Amino acid sequence: MRMLIMGPQGVGKGTQAALLAEHYGIPTISTGDIFRYNIKNKTELGLEAMSYTDKGELVPDELTNKIVKDRLAMDDVKNGWILDGYPRNASQVVALDAMLEDLGTPLDAVVALDANHDVLMHRMAKRAEEQGRTDDTPEVIAKRLETYAKETAPLLDTYASRGQLVAIDGEGDVDAIQANIVAALDAR
Ligand code: AMP
């Protein structure tokens, strides 16, 4: 199973991706986690990424596409993967299409979670308290949601037109949402 999990910040992508990874026995690849790891360890990639992540802007495609390409070439993703947080704009879709074409591993599905704005803001405020992420301040949260609406949300139409979109309501109980995702994927 090779899939994307998409949706605005705070919708629960990370939580659902982890449960799906366990269910299908495949790894999750989160570009946000990769950037955070590199920022924490002050690598060259981290130092460059930080100037964008701290503002809620997208890290340049060249850098982001390369980390995904390198990760998809690793052995542990041979039997499938879940990409969380990538692609995030139209040019990343083109880059991912090319990577998957080269690898001969087509995408199976795109899970899209959604929730209303107040639920998203509430969840992000809670996460800011729990995790202390530097990009969970009110200004940066607003900017990240704006970036999502402008650059990422239109990609859902792209995947819908390819017949790959599985749209799921992201509000409510975590386990019930997970069950809905698995049922929708299994029904395909
Ligand atoms: P996330 O944890 O997925 O919300 O990602 C945190 C931050 O990392 C984002 O606000 C971006 O600055 C950066 N980032 C993560 N994924 C991408 C991507 N696919 N393209 C560009 N920037 C990204």
Side-chain angles (χ1 to χ4, degrees):
M1 173 75 81
R2 288 175 294 270
M3 66 176 134
L4 311 181
I5 185 151
M6 299 185 69
Q9 286 77 11
V11 81
K13 286 193 302 286
T15 305
Q16 293 300 333
L19 292 170
L20 285 170
E22 202 183 316
H23 181 87
Y24 291 107
I26 51 177
T28 300
I29 303 171
S30 156
T31 44
D33 282 352
I34 295 172
F35 287 132
R36 276 185 289 281
Y37 174 87
N38 280 277
I39 290 167
K40 194 169 146 218
N41 289 289
K42 300 192 168 62
T43 66
E44 203 177 315
L45 169 70
L47 292 175
E48 183 156 6
M50 194 165 67
S51 57
Y52 301 94
T53 58
D54 271 358
K55 284 186 266 177
E57 292 171 4
L58 294 184
V59 176
D61 292 336
E62 207 183 275
L63 221 59
T64 309
N65 292 337
K66 180 161 184 344
I67 63 168
V68 174
K69 188 168 187 196
D70 290 349
R71 186 68 188 85
L72 287 178
M74 291 182 188
D75 270 349
D76 66 319
V77 301
K78 290 267 181 292
N79 294 325
W81 39 258
I82 301 167
L83 260 175
D84 168 7
Y86 181 93
R88 263 197 167 66
N89 62 25
S91 102
Q92 293 182 7
V93 171
V94 173
L96 179 63
D97 285 345
M99 288 177 220
L100 299 185
E101 175 87 36
D102 282 353
L103 290 164
T105 54
L107 193 62
D108 294 305
V110 177
V111 173
L113 296 172
D114 206 1
N116 89 36
H117 191 263
D118 291 348
V119 171
L120 298 176
M121 294 304 282
H122 178 76
R123 285 196 190 153
M124 275 192 282
K126 198 165 146 218
R127 186 171 73 185
E129 263 174 39
E130 288 167 2
Q131 299 179 1
R133 274 175 56 162
T134 53
D135 59 352
D136 271 344
T137 62
E139 298 77 31
V140 181
I141 287 172
K143 176 70 185 168
R144 284 161 67 212
L145 286 174
E146 186 191 313
T147 306
Y148 177 81
K150 202 167 104 198
E151 309 233 22
T152 311
L155 309 184
L156 299 181
D157 289 340
T158 306
Y159 289 114
S161 70
R162 295 181 186 183
Q164 291 176 315
L165 198 72
V166 176
I168 304 286
D169 183 354
E171 286 184 36
D173 177 65
V174 168
D175 293 329
I177 297 167
Q178 174 68 195
N180 287 342
I181 299 174
V182 170
L185 288 172
D186 289 349
R188 283 171 61 83

